[in-house]
Amino acid sequence: MYVTTLEVKHFRNIEEEVLSFCDGVNIIYGDNAQGKTNLIEAIWLFTGCRSFRGAKDAECIHFNHAKASLSLDFFGENREQNMLLEIENGRKFVCNGVKLKSASKAIGQFLAVVFSPVHLSLVKDGPYERRRFLDVAISQLKPNYAIALSNYNKAVAERNILLKDVAYHSELYDTLDVWEERIAYYASEIIRQRIGYVNRIKEFSTEIYAGISKKKEELSLSYFEQCPAAGSTKQEIYESMKNLLYAARKNDILTGSTSVGPHRDDLTIQIDDLSARSYGSQGQQRSAALALKLGEAAVIKSFTGEQPVALLDDVMSELDTDRQNYILNHIKNWQVFITCCDPTSVKNLKYGKAFRMKNGSIV
Ligand SMILES: Nc1ncnc2c1ncn2[C@@H]1O[C@H](COP(=O)(O)OP(=O)(O)O)[C@@H](O)[C@H]1O
Ligand SMILES: [Mg+2]
C-alpha cells in the first residue's frame, strides 16, 4: 500500500498543501516546530484511528479556521483509492465516494503504522499504554474487536455504577449477575483476540529486536492476564471471568470499581528476561518500542497481504549508526515517511524523495 497524493487544508499549522510522494522513502526534514509531525499525523488520521498524540479533533484544526479538510490518494488492494476527511464537530470520512456513517467505519481501509517519540511510553509507562497498543492494532485488523471493546467498557461502567448503589441498597445485589455475564461475554472475546495477537506479533518483533541489537539481546513478549483460563476456549474464559468477577464483588463494592478483567491486563515486555520497563536502558526501551511497531506492520502484512505505510517520526536522531542502518535496511521495500531535523542522517538511502518543511509549508 502506498500514498500517491495528500492534500491538506487548514490542518494544524498547515494552511494549504498538495504533496505527491514516491512509493519508497519520503523524508520530511526541517527545524523544530515547523509542522513535520503534523504532516505525519494528517496521514495517520486516514487509518480511522485517533491521533497518536492523543489530540482532540478540534486541536487539529488550524487556529484561524473552523474546519480542516484532507484528501488522500493511495494505492491499495491493487487499485487507486481516495479518502476524504473533514474535521469539524468530529471527523467525517468519505471513502471512494461513499460517505461513512461513523469514523470507526474508516478503520481497515488505509493501513499504516506509526512510530513517534510518544510511543516510548509503550515500554516506559503503565499498562494502559500497552493495552491501548493491542486494542488499536487489533481493531485495525478486526473492526468487530472495536465493537466488542466498546460494549465491554460500557458493561464495566454499568457494573461500577451498580456497585456504588449496592453499597446502600443491598436488594440490588443479585442484579450484578446481568452485568457480570455481559462483561464476561465480551471479555472472553477480547482476551482471546489479544492472546492471538501477541502470539503473532512476538515472532516478528523478537526477530526485529535481534536485528536491531545485532543478536546481543533477546526480546520476549507475553500477555499478562488475571483470568486463569486465558489461552483456553472462549467458553472457558467466559466461565472463568464470571467466577473471577463474582469472587471480586465484596472488594469491588468497597471500592466502587471493577478490579478484574481485560481492562486490568498487561503486555509483558522483557529484554533478556528482565522487565524492559523497570530495567531497560533508554536505548533498549526505544529499540523495544520500535520492534513492537515494526512487528505490528509485519502482522498487518501477514493478515491482509498489504504492506502498511510506515510513519516514522523522529526515529533516526535517537539511534546509533548500526541501528539506523538496520532500520533503513528493514524498511527498504515499503513506503516510509521519515521526519528528521537533518537529512544527512538518512543519507544512506539510495531511493527516495526529500521535502523541506518550514512554517507549515513545503519549501
Ligand atoms: N491547530 C493548530 N493551528 C495552528 N498551528 C498549530 C496547531 N497545532 C499545532 N500548531 C503548531 O504546529 C507547530 C508544531 O508542529 P510539529 O509538526 O509538531 O513540529 P515538528 O516540525 O517539530 O514536528 C507548533 O508551532 C504549533 O504551534
Ligand atoms: Mg515533530
Side-chain angles (χ1 to χ4, degrees):
M1 187 166 280
Y2 58 90
V3 175
T4 47
T5 311
L6 172 72
E7 291 182 40
V8 185
K9 203 172 162 189
H10 305 161
F11 181 85
R12 296 244 187 220
N13 70 338
I14 307 170
E15 276 281 353
E16 215 166 331
E17 287 292 329
V18 179
L19 302 168
S20 294
F21 299 111
C22 75
D23 61 7
V25 178
N26 296 276
I27 301 159
I28 297 139
Y29 69 98
D31 293 340
N32 289 332
Q34 300 305 308
K36 303 181 297 296
T37 304
N38 295 344
L39 194 68
I40 294 283
E41 186 182 31
I43 300 173
W44 169 254
L45 289 180
F46 283 98
T47 59
C49 300
R50 294 206 159 266
S51 164
F52 56 85
R53 290 168 149 179
K56 298 192 183 84
D57 292 335
E59 291 165 8
C60 295
I61 305 167
H62 193 293
F63 296 142
N64 304 337
H65 299 274
K67 178 169 101 177
S69 314
L70 305 162
S71 167
L72 188 82
D73 290 330
F74 65 101
F75 194 85
E77 292 178 339
N78 294 318
R79 63 198 167 106
E80 281 169 12
Q81 305 196 50
N82 172 267
M83 281 177 91
L84 303 173
L85 166 59
E86 274 192 8
I87 308 172
E88 186 191 25
N89 305 321
R91 295 170 295 159
K92 292 183 193 81
F93 285 93
V94 177
C95 184
N96 297 317
V98 181
K99 224 171 157 175
L100 303 184
K101 280 199 189 115
S102 67
S104 62
K105 292 268 185 277
I107 294 177
Q109 310 282 339
F110 171 69
L111 301 167
V113 292
V114 59
F115 177 83
S116 108
V118 301
H119 292 109
L120 296 176
S121 62
L122 251 178
V123 182
K124 278 180 163 172
D125 290 357
Y128 171 80
E129 298 295 335
R130 288 178 289 282
R131 286 193 297 267
R132 205 178 120 74
F133 166 72
L134 292 175
D135 292 340
V136 173
I138 302 169
S139 299
Q140 271 211 79
L141 300 173
K142 301 185 173 179
N144 283 344
Y145 178 85
I147 298 168
L149 194 64
S150 152
N151 287 332
Y152 173 81
N153 289 331
K154 277 183 212 149
V156 170
E158 292 291 348
R159 182 176 184 267
N160 291 347
I161 291 171
L162 195 54
L163 287 168
K164 290 179 190 110
D165 290 347
V166 169
Y168 301 98
H169 304 278
S170 54
E171 71 277 12
L172 292 173
Y173 190 81
D174 287 342
T175 48
L176 281 168
D177 287 350
V178 181
W179 294 111
E180 288 174 8
E181 275 166 24
R182 258 182 102 78
I183 293 173
Y185 175 79
Y186 292 116
S188 64
E189 181 61 22
I190 293 165
I191 293 174
R192 228 170 47 96
Q193 294 283 359
R194 285 189 185 165
I195 289 176
Y197 187 83
V198 173
N199 286 338
R200 267 206 175 136
I201 195 174
K202 74 179 176 197
E203 291 180 21
F204 297 113
S205 295
T206 317
E207 199 184 315
I208 293 163
Y209 192 90
I212 297 177
S213 69
K214 287 195 150 175
K215 298 214 164 94
K216 287 189 200 121
E217 295 159 13
E218 196 184 344
L219 176 79
S220 59
L221 302 174
S222 58
Y223 187 65
F224 178 82
E225 74 291 310
Q226 307 142 311
C227 171
S232 323
T233 65
K234 214 174 144 176
Q235 184 64 28
E236 283 167 319
I237 301 176
Y238 170 77
E239 294 296 341
S240 164
M241 261 315 300
K242 259 195 346 187
N243 293 337
L244 215 57
L245 286 158
Y246 188 79
R249 272 188 193 182
K250 207 169 146 196
N251 171 54
D252 289 358
I253 290 170
L254 287 175
T255 62
S257 69
T258 299
S259 59
V260 290
H263 65 292
R264 293 289 174 95
D265 290 350
D266 199 355
L267 169 69
T268 308
I269 306 173
Q270 291 184 315
I271 297 166
D272 292 339
D273 297 328
L274 286 173
S275 155
R277 183 185 179 196
S278 311
Y279 299 103
S281 73
Q282 290 213 4
Q284 287 175 319
Q285 291 182 339
R286 196 162 284 145
S287 304
L290 197 54
L292 274 173
K293 283 288 163 176
L294 296 174
E296 182 190 353
V299 176
I300 294 178
K301 172 85 194 288
S302 75
F303 197 87
T304 64
E306 292 280 341
Q307 181 72 60
V309 172
L311 307 169
L312 305 179
D313 187 25
D314 259 340
V315 69
M316 290 306 169
S317 55
E318 299 173 337
L319 296 173
D320 61 38
T321 320
D322 275 349
R323 288 179 189 226
Q324 282 185 4
N325 285 339
Y326 174 83
I327 306 294
L328 294 178
N329 235 348
H330 187 81
I331 56 181
K332 69 183 168 203
N333 296 321
W334 334 344
Q335 186 181 43
V336 186
F337 293 81
I338 297 184
T339 70
C340 55
C341 293
D342 176 8
T344 54
S345 66
V346 276
K347 64 181 179 299
N348 298 339
L349 286 169
K350 291 187 185 72
Y351 173 48
K353 203 167 170 181
F355 301 82
R356 178 160 176 242
M357 188 119 206
K358 194 165 184 237
N359 216 354
S361 303
I362 296 296
V363 292

